[in-house]
Amino acid sequence: MTRTLLLGARVLDPGGAADAAEAVEISADRISFVGTAAQARERLRGGDGDVLVLDLDGAVVTPAFVDAHVHATATGLLVDGVDLTGCPSPGALLDAVAGRAAARPGALVWGHGWQDQHWSEPLPSRAELDRAAGGSPVYLSRVDVHSALVSSALLDRAPGAAGAAGWSDGPLSAEAHHHARRAALAAVESTGRAAAQAAFLAAAAARGVAVVHECAGPDISSVDDLAELLRQPGPEVVAYWGEAVATAEQARELLAATGARGLAGDLFVDGSIGSRTAALRAPYADADGGTGTRYLDADAVGAHVAACTVAGVQAGFHVIGDAATDALLAGLDVAAALTSTDAVRAAVHRVEHLEMVEPAQAARLAELGVVASVQPAFDACWGGPTGMYADRLGAGRAAGMNPFAALRDAGVVLALGSDTPVTPLDPWAGVHAAVHHRTAGSGLRWHEAVAAHTAGGYRAAGDRSALAGRLAPGAPASYAVWDGPAFEDGPAFRYPARCLRTAHRGVVLHDALPGVGAFAP
């Protein structure tokens, strides 16, 4: 059996490997050795069989990252779609639509990423969008994917949208948006969908990501979309399906029908702050009395968690606003009463986003073993005293959002993700945002952030192995090699620049290492 030795590295194992480690040896799909260069050379002299030695010349080796919340197809579609990130005005948005529609008359115009809080002009009306589209179906999701601008040609394919909750002449939200999104995804041909998924997975591997948690569901994608994604080679896809059940039998049947790991992810309790659909206790600061949208109440949450607990299935929810957090906690208490606290804890349920949570609630989540799948880039993009959260909520409420340190201190296991395409799939940017939180005292230490983006992702998927996401003997050989500056602890901590290799369980997913190394007896 040929072994691979990564030599001359700076090995970063946030789970506790010695700082002096300079070498990692891989045998088949496991790590067989981590230690100093001198120890590695001694193993070469005394070992049997061939060893492929890769001299990394000071490159950094980390566990491969896990992105605990992604939407693969929607992200991949932007490779050939209309990227509206940073779009400066409604006029620029309409120009982008007109250009794409003219180039491909009648084809679906898929776009994403617009934000309107700093636009001085009103959002385009449907009539304006129709004129720009020239009869083509158009779906343009807001950056948070909880509302979208759509053309009349697309709505012709989504008759249930008209008059549903969230219907308007401008952006659609809530149930009206769900109808329109399903119609838009149905208009994507299977070859285009497969190409989008392949592009996404290749991009993930090139960024040091070996595992992604796909948050699918009837309101965000489709069973066919998820099935196609699970057939794709590349990084491991841990699938979640966001649909509520009331009995254990329903939970088992739905899991079998979808191929999902759990009934979790984007099972919406509420919406988003940016689209003013996150469920709040008090009204939005920049709207007339609105408190958002509530999709599930405490009884529905409790019934779902109890059913999944009895079935041995992971449950979970999308929760952002403080009223939604209240519903989640009340529902968990209902489920614990129907089953038991020990049974709920053993199931390792999860919650996505959890942006507004109080210390007592965090303590209860920890007691129940609930993992928090959080997105630090949300704070980087929209936090701070002048950010979108402050606009929507006021500075006081905004400052308390995404309290990663408080969740850590309460004992809640954290897993980091991007929610791509909401924010880019970029694990080091996520680590940086978690460390440099816009609210003083709410961030993590750098090794905690790296651990949450590696080992935490496995914990979020129910893997309790002490070696998952580690660089230690016996751990799965899931690692990434980085070309970049040496790591320095403390406020000046610097992050690597480029991924040179990504491997998962011994299989190389991405490789840009110069040369092929040398064999040693």
Side-chain angles (χ1 to χ4, degrees):
M1 177 180 67
T2 299
R3 293 169 289 151
T4 300
L5 179 64
L6 307 177
L7 189 63
R10 172 74 187 271
V11 179
L12 170 63
D13 175 18
D19 290 340
E22 301 162 314
V24 178
E25 183 187 77
I26 296 106
S27 300
D29 63 347
R30 294 277 161 177
I31 293 172
S32 49
F33 165 79
V34 177
T36 67
Q39 292 169 332
R41 292 189 179 95
E42 186 65 27
R43 288 175 65 86
L44 286 175
R45 284 191 289 271
D48 296 325
D50 289 336
V51 181
L52 176 60
V53 180
L54 297 174
D55 188 349
L56 298 184
D57 192 26
V60 175
V61 180
T62 69
F65 283 100
V66 178
D67 191 312
H69 192 123
V70 308
H71 301 285
T73 303
T75 303
L77 285 172
L78 285 179
V79 172
D80 191 42
V82 180
D83 188 349
L84 297 170
T85 305
C87 183
S89 67
L93 179 147
L94 293 172
D95 288 344
V97 169
R100 177 52 60 91
R104 302 175 187 177
L108 172 69
V109 178
W110 178 282
H112 167 78
W114 58 269
Q115 300 187 68
D116 56 313
Q117 65 264 25
H118 298 305
W119 288 355
S120 58
E121 306 165 45
L123 287 165
S125 67
R126 186 154 302 119
E128 290 174 312
L129 190 60
D130 288 345
R131 285 195 292 272
S136 295
V138 177
Y139 174 83
L140 309 174
S141 51
R142 194 183 184 279
V143 66
D144 53 31
V145 198
H146 283 269
S147 58
L149 295 165
V150 302
S151 70
S152 297
L154 181 67
L155 290 174
D156 289 342
R157 308 181 187 196
W167 171 261
S168 78
D169 181 56
L172 303 185
S173 63
E175 291 299 337
H177 172 237
H178 295 160
H179 285 288
R181 184 175 177 85
R182 283 193 287 268
L185 285 168
V188 178
E189 297 181 357
S190 60
T191 54
R193 179 174 61 204
Q197 293 170 347
F200 166 79
L201 291 171
R207 288 167 173 78
V209 175
V211 182
V212 296
H213 294 185
E214 170 70 10
C215 293
D219 293 329
I220 200 74
S221 60
S222 69
V223 172
D224 290 342
D225 180 88
L226 183 57
E228 180 70 34
L229 179 62
L230 289 172
R231 289 192 288 267
Q232 295 281 354
E236 179 184 350
V237 176
V238 178
Y240 288 97
W241 185 257
E243 185 172 351
V245 295
T247 68
E249 182 180 6
Q250 289 175 340
R252 296 188 189 100
E253 289 175 350
L254 193 53
L255 223 61
T258 60
R261 175 79 59 87
L263 301 179
D266 275 336
L267 176 49
F268 298 123
V269 175
D270 66 342
S272 73
I273 300 293
S275 289
R276 299 187 186 87
T277 52
L280 303 180
R281 296 171 182 167
Y284 283 88
D286 62 349
D288 295 330
T291 56
T293 302
R294 305 162 200 238
Y295 298 109
L296 296 175
D297 60 17
D299 288 339
V301 169
H304 181 74
V305 174
C308 289
T309 299
V310 171
V313 172
Q314 215 179 1
F317 305 90
H318 161 118
V319 171
I320 287 185
D322 50 8
T325 305
D326 293 342
L328 170 70
L329 269 295
L332 288 168
D333 286 342
V334 168
L338 292 171
T339 58
S340 71
T341 295
D342 287 344
V344 170
R345 184 188 302 112
V348 192
H349 301 306
R350 57 187 283 168
V351 56
E352 312 300 311
H353 314 311
L354 193 65
E355 293 200 82
M356 302 177 76
V357 56
E358 297 172 349
Q361 294 174 321
R364 180 59 172 159
L365 290 173
E367 181 183 5
L368 293 172
V370 177
V371 177
S373 166
V374 298
Q375 293 68 46
F378 286 10
D379 176 72
C381 290
W382 303 305
T386 61
M388 182 271 290
Y389 291 152
D391 290 344
R392 293 284 191 266
L393 304 174
R397 280 189 291 179
M401 294 189 66
N402 298 294
F404 305 139
L407 289 165
R408 173 204 64 204
D409 292 345
V412 176
V413 172
L414 298 177
L416 304 191
S418 62
D419 199 8
T420 181
V422 176
T423 65
L425 187 148
D426 185 341
W428 285 116
V431 168
H432 184 274
V435 173
H436 300 282
H437 200 289
R438 289 178 176 268
T439 299
S442 289
L444 304 175
R445 292 177 282 271
W446 69 266
H447 63 279
E448 293 171 337
V450 174
H453 224 329
T454 52
Y458 292 99
R459 289 287 301 277
D463 186 343
R464 296 188 177 186
S465 167
L467 293 177
R470 293 283 310 281
L471 294 179
S478 298
Y479 64 92
V481 180
W482 303 90
D483 178 19
F487 289 88
E488 300 292 341
D489 200 350
F493 179 71
R494 296 183 293 169
Y495 303 90
R498 183 167 64 101
C499 182
L500 299 176
R501 170 177 283 193
T502 305
H504 185 47
R505 303 187 190 280
V507 176
V508 176
L509 305 176
H510 165 76
D511 205 359
L513 280 173
V516 295
F519 281 96

